Amino acid sequence: MKNPLTKAAVVVPILPERFNSNIAGEETTKPRFERSNDARLEEAKGLARAINLDIVFAEAIIVNMPRPATLLGVGKVEEIAEMIKERDIELVIVDHSLTPVQQRNLEKEWNIKVIDRTGLILEIFGERARTKEGTLQVELAHLNYQKGRLVRSWTHLERQRGGSGFLGGPGETQLEADRRIIQEKILRIQRELKTVVRTRNLHRQKRRKVPHPIVALVGYTNAGKSTLFNRMTGADVLAEDMLFATLDPTLRRIRLPHGEMVILSDTVGFISNLPHHLVAAFRATLEEVVEADLILHVRDISDPDNAAQSEDVETILSSLGIKANDQKRLIEVWNKIDNLDESGRETALRLAAAGSDEVRPIPVSALTGEGVDKLLAVIETRIAGKLITAELVLSPFELHLLDWIYQHGSDIRRDDLEDGAVRIQVTLTENAQRMLNDMRSNQSDGPELDEG
């Protein structure tokens, strides 16, 4: 018999813009796109469901003047306290950054556990992490978060211990001891992560010896990255209608239409108001994005708030040193076009077609496979160059190259000549053409490819 789900309430404070920040006390630039209150509430509920909570109450609350003690007004705090008693709620999620004092005061007023947005995201990360690296990164982020939460909520934290002799002083308080223990754990995990990062660097160096280009998928959480990854690779990565369904990076090799091999990397989804120390903690994972030759920015084009989500992704990429206007490395992928109605679909396709080749988004449906072939062709063009139709004659000593040509070419026309040579007309990428010319020149003085 399964244990009953924890009953939870979700509270989304809607503050005036001047009070909003990624983390308490941190200045942020005003976003270009605003989310609707309903969208923010739905996202908060989605985050709560990601750790299997039973949401019995959810409300977006307008807070005109946040209180330093509790963030919410006195009347609203009392109203929620009554509702908690009536519905036997065991946990309250406040979808905003809470200071340690605010969190403590709300827990006293409501007499139950309270976690803020950062704490909730850390809980999700803790459940999703599977690799040693992911687990260490979650633990490091959680300890850095917890270090600032050691307030005097309980009297045992004020007890002093240690100190001997009349010159020894009162000794170390429990609070100070807890801080020291946490700091020691942080240093230990940082040392372990350095080892993990060195190992990842060694793996990258090995990959560079067999230089397959890296293509990284990034995007807002639940944009369909893992579904697209599965569609492109034939893998079976967890892909559910759930925020942060996957956390640890997954890499697979895929062969593009004209034989070029690339490594596709699926990474953790991004989200709005992601505190900077969480980005820093997961920097080792996000290095796969930083090191990528090509980055696919996957957007859920059917989501009414996809413009705001795109801006959040661009903000995090910018913090990693990747500019949103880097046309050489970035390809925008408009996913979930199958979720649009006929009018919305026509509009999306028209807007996508209106852009120049360098910045034109690629509409796809990872679920049905629509548009994926075009996406692979665009990736191939960016990685291996444009397609060229070439004609060549292979001597009898070069016929072993035919297999390679069939793997890397298309639209092949072949004529067998009387002297045993073969005339080939083939469509290749610019990169494949250079490789074939190199292979032929290394073994003979035969003629190079002639472009048709």
Side-chain angles (χ1 to χ4, degrees):
M1 182 177 177
K2 292 184 178 180
N3 293 326
L5 300 179
T6 301
K7 292 183 178 180
V10 175
V11 175
V12 181
I14 309 296
L15 276 65
E17 186 58 44
R18 66 182 184 277
F19 294 111
N20 286 329
S21 62
N22 279 353
I23 190 168
E26 183 180 307
E27 294 292 332
T28 57
T29 57
K30 183 177 179 179
R32 291 171 296 157
F33 302 99
E34 294 292 336
R35 282 184 172 78
S36 65
N37 294 346
D38 289 342
R40 293 177 61 179
L41 182 60
E42 283 303 313
E43 180 176 280
K45 290 161 64 177
L47 287 170
R49 292 192 193 99
I51 52 172
N52 295 320
L53 295 177
D54 179 16
I55 304 168
V56 297
F57 173 81
E59 182 181 7
I61 300 171
I62 304 297
V63 182
N64 293 320
M65 185 58 65
R67 295 181 67 228
T70 57
L71 183 67
L72 307 176
V74 175
K76 183 56 69 173
V77 170
E78 292 175 352
E79 179 186 324
I80 294 174
E82 289 297 323
M83 182 270 301
I84 288 170
K85 291 179 183 177
E86 290 174 3
R87 306 193 187 188
D88 296 324
I89 289 172
E90 305 164 82
L91 173 69
V92 175
I93 296 164
V94 179
D95 189 54
H96 196 275
S97 293
L98 294 176
T99 66
V101 172
Q102 288 170 343
Q103 184 175 0
R104 178 196 63 184
N105 289 340
L106 288 174
E107 287 183 339
K108 282 185 175 181
E109 291 287 341
W110 295 335
N111 198 32
I112 60 170
K113 177 70 175 174
V114 175
I115 60 175
D116 66 359
R117 184 180 178 88
T118 304
L120 176 59
I121 292 172
L122 283 170
E123 288 293 329
I124 298 170
F125 281 11
E127 285 200 3
R128 299 289 184 271
R130 293 291 178 267
T131 64
K132 181 180 179 181
E133 178 185 8
T135 304
L136 287 172
Q137 288 171 337
V138 171
E139 191 175 354
L140 176 62
H142 200 280
L143 287 170
N144 279 316
Y145 172 74
Q146 197 65 32
K147 187 169 63 171
R149 307 268 140 183
L150 289 176
V151 294
R152 287 179 171 84
S153 303
W154 312 101
T155 55
H156 82 275
L157 294 177
E158 298 175 351
R159 291 201 301 267
Q160 294 176 331
R161 61 184 182 184
S164 58
F166 66 96
L167 292 178
E172 183 180 45
T173 65
Q174 183 67 43
L175 190 67
E176 291 164 345
D178 288 348
R179 283 191 180 128
R180 176 174 51 78
I181 291 169
I182 285 179
Q183 188 59 38
E184 288 172 355
K185 287 182 178 179
I186 287 173
L187 293 173
R188 174 182 57 79
I189 292 172
Q190 286 175 337
R191 286 194 296 270
E192 289 187 55
L193 271 174
K194 285 181 180 179
T195 303
V196 173
V197 170
R198 282 197 297 268
T199 303
R200 290 179 71 86
N201 286 335
L202 287 173
H203 290 166
R204 286 196 191 96
Q205 290 172 10
K206 288 181 179 178
R207 288 207 300 264
R208 289 190 186 107
K209 292 179 181 178
V210 183
H212 295 318
I214 297 174
V215 179
L217 293 169
V218 302
Y220 206 79
T221 186
N222 213 30
K225 296 186 313 305
S226 294
T227 305
L228 183 59
F229 181 87
N230 289 342
R231 171 68 64 175
M232 294 171 71
T233 64
D236 191 23
V237 173
L238 176 64
E240 295 185 8
D241 185 17
M242 178 192 298
L243 300 180
F244 294 118
T246 53
L247 176 61
D248 295 305
T250 308
L251 288 83
R252 295 286 189 277
R253 287 194 303 176
I254 64 170
R255 186 180 294 276
L256 297 177
H258 288 82
E260 187 82 22
M261 293 292 294
V262 298
I263 295 174
L264 195 64
S265 172
D266 184 22
T267 57
V268 61
F270 299 156
I271 197 166
S272 64
N273 298 327
L274 190 64
H276 67 89
H277 66 270
L278 282 186
V279 177
F282 283 84
R283 191 171 183 87
T285 299
L286 296 174
E287 280 178 4
E288 291 293 346
V289 178
V290 177
E291 296 285 331
D293 299 276
L294 202 59
I295 299 169
L296 307 185
H297 176 186
V298 183
R299 291 174 57 176
D300 177 0
I301 201 64
S302 67
D303 193 311
D305 288 299
N306 74 83
Q309 294 173 356
S310 175
E311 185 178 10
D312 290 323
V313 173
E314 290 172 3
T315 299
I316 296 175
L317 289 177
S318 178
S319 72
L320 298 170
I322 301 167
K323 295 181 180 179
N325 60 356
D326 189 348
Q327 298 175 3
K328 291 184 178 179
R329 293 182 67 196
L330 282 168
I331 297 176
E332 195 165 283
V333 181
W334 288 0
N335 191 25
K336 302 190 183 182
I337 59 171
D338 54 302
N339 283 351
L340 297 172
D341 58 25
E342 187 175 346
S343 174
R345 177 188 173 87
E346 288 178 359
T347 301
L349 294 176
R350 186 175 66 252
L351 290 173
S356 63
D357 289 342
E358 291 77 14
V359 297
R360 183 176 296 160
I362 311 299
V364 304
S365 168
L367 196 62
T368 66
E370 180 184 356
V372 173
D373 288 344
K374 183 178 180 181
L375 174 60
L376 290 170
V378 171
I379 293 171
E380 184 172 64
T381 299
R382 292 285 189 94
I383 292 291
K386 295 179 180 179
L387 295 177
I388 295 172
T389 299
E391 188 172 313
L392 66 153
V393 176
L394 297 179
S395 71
F397 302 102
E398 296 177 308
L399 295 185
H400 64 279
L401 297 175
L402 280 173
D403 182 60
W404 189 94
I405 291 171
Y406 276 96
Q407 285 189 25
H408 292 79
S410 63
D411 302 326
I412 298 173
R413 295 181 182 179
R414 168 178 171 171
D415 291 322
D416 295 318
L417 305 180
E418 293 181 358
D419 61 355
V422 174
R423 179 183 290 113
I424 291 282
Q425 187 180 46
V426 60
T427 300
L428 296 164
T429 64
E430 292 175 325
N431 187 49
Q433 183 195 31
R434 285 191 293 270
M435 291 174 63
L436 184 55
N437 281 335
D438 288 343
M439 287 189 290
R440 298 186 73 196
S441 62
N442 286 338
Q443 69 171 14
S444 68
D445 296 323
E448 293 192 347
L449 294 177
D450 294 322
E451 294 181 19

